[in-house]
Amino acid sequence: MPSSRTGRPPVQRAARRPAPRPAGDRPLRGLYLRLRRVWDRPLTAYYLIFGSSLLITVLGLVMVYSASMITALQMSLSGSYFFRKQFLAALIGTVLLLIASRMPVKLHRALAYPMLAGSVFLMVLVQVPGIGVAVNGNQNWISVGGPFQLQPSEFGKLALVLWGADLIARKQDKRLLTQWKHMLVPLVPVTFMLLGLIMLGGDMGTAIILTAILFGLLWLAGAPTRLFAGVLSIAATLGVILIKTSPNRMARLGCIGATEPGPNDTCWQAVHGIYALASGGLFGSGLGASVEKWGQLPEAHTDFIFAITGEELGLAGTLSVLVLFAALGYAGIRVAGRTEDPFVRYAAGGVTTWITAQAVINIGAVLGLLPIAGVPLPLFSYGGSALLPTMFAIGLLIAFARDEPAARAALAMRQPRFGKKRAAVRGSGEPRRWNTMRRRASARSSGER
């Protein structure tokens, strides 16, 4: 071994490790990490709820105008008749959303019992002759004057969510949920009372949504599998009996996957919904260019508005609607999973179950995968009675998303740039300064970074 000038053997250096690859060599990995950081931010759920619900409502208004124009003209009405009513309901719903998003949790809990009592009272009035109004064979409406009608069962969904969440939260605080009787009573009997009032009018679609809310609350409360299966079997048995005893419901069940109208055009609506989706292609025939809405597809602006969306906006439009509902559902689950307040967890989970289940039932019926239940697409279909409580429920989710500890801290750090002055500290003689980014930057010392 050759020696160095000092006579000592040379020092053997370790082999150099290859330098890490720069981020530019791994663009997909870097993009994934950036998206992950954005996804984990405290206000992600807040922005997802607000943004997705806003886009669904705005796109719904556009599609209501397009899908209802021909129906309004056939009824000798103005082409924008249904759009103007829906737009008015959206304005009122926006006010309700803003009020709900700013209300404290205690006030939401205080509204639970009055809202439940009011919903029950209105659903009883529906069955009173001369007050209740029948629409498409279902007597679930109350005339409130002129062309406006109210469907109390839609508000019953919101009442069940708030009341059920408050009930289960109070029982959890008292450690009573370990006993099956406290898990079921009075939640299940009251829900069955609401279902009975709804089924008196023949609206099985809304009854299915209330049943989904009930099971969502029981699942969030940690109901044992045997208890959960028992309630599910009772509900399924009642559902089978109600379907078997109704020729109309049996006919709807037989239209699943139908490709022909069948005898007496029993499956006319289901088949023409598929025709509308099939003729849309990738990007649709264009906004307002639907053929099925010219009298071929019944309820084009209500229950089957998703089919008209597929015909006019194509696969791109329908996938956009599905992505928006998926984002809204994910944000609701995230709010329910990250909160420490039991009421917020149950209420957020109940609202998410309500909107997600109703969207799945409506879209599944349009696609021919489920029987036609006659429920609207939340925030999207025409109907003020369905839009108002749904927008209030969205306001609930926004309030809960803002109330998360990390979200509160993030919102507290955000200050308006213009127009608002920073409050002076009591006891100090410092004058008030404008709370701008430039002023805060100049307040730092020269060595601060």
Side-chain angles (χ1 to χ4, degrees), residues 431-448:
R432 294 181 178 178
R433 296 179 178 179
W434 290 102
N435 191 10
T436 62
M437 294 297 292
R438 182 178 299 178
R439 178 65 66 182
R440 290 198 296 271
S442 62
R444 296 177 178 175
S445 61
S446 59
E448 182 181 356

Side-chain angles (χ1 to χ4, degrees), residues 21 90 101 127 160 176 193 203 250 300-301 322 334 342 426:
R21 299 176 63 184
S101 64
Q127 306 305 323
L160 178 60
L176 297 175
M193 178 191 67
D203 189 2
M250 287 296 298
H301 59 297
L322 291 176
R334 175 169 169 161
R426 293 184 179 180

Side-chain angles (χ1 to χ4, degrees), residues 66-79:
S66 176
S68 65
M69 185 183 303
I70 304 303
T71 303
L73 293 176
Q74 290 174 345
M75 298 172 63
S76 301
L77 300 171
S78 171

Side-chain angles (χ1 to χ4, degrees), residues 301-342:
H301 59 297
T302 54
D303 300 344
F304 272 71
I305 194 171
F306 188 76
I308 302 299
T309 303
E311 185 180 6
E312 295 187 350
L313 303 183
L315 181 64
T318 54
L319 287 181
S320 300
V321 175
L322 291 176
V323 169
L324 290 174
F325 274 109
L328 182 58
Y330 167 79
I333 294 173
R334 175 169 169 161
V335 171
R338 293 195 173 190
T339 183
E340 299 292 337
D341 190 333

Side-chain angles (χ1 to χ4, degrees), residues 83-106:
F83 168 76
R84 285 187 279 110
K85 291 182 63 176
Q86 186 75 356
F87 184 74
L88 177 61
L91 291 179
I92 300 174
T94 302
V95 175
L96 293 177
L97 184 148
L98 295 176
I99 292 175
S101 64
R102 294 293 180 177
M103 289 170 55
V105 175
K106 291 183 179 180

Side-chain angles (χ1 to χ4, degrees), residues 61 64 82-90 380-384 387:
L61 287 172
V64 164
F82 294 105
F83 168 76
R84 285 187 279 110
K85 291 182 63 176
Q86 186 75 356
F87 184 74
L88 177 61
F380 202 83
S381 297
Y382 169 78
L387 184 63

Side-chain angles (χ1 to χ4, degrees), residues 47-60 306 316-332 355-356 359 363 377-380 394:
Y47 289 130
L48 279 178
I49 295 170
F50 183 80
S52 58
S53 59
L54 176 63
L55 290 175
I56 292 173
T57 305
V58 172
L59 182 59
F306 188 76
T318 54
L319 287 181
S320 300
V321 175
L322 291 176
V323 169
L324 290 174
F325 274 109
L328 182 58
Y330 167 79
I355 295 177
T356 304
I363 295 175
L377 190 58
L379 300 173
F380 202 83
I394 295 297

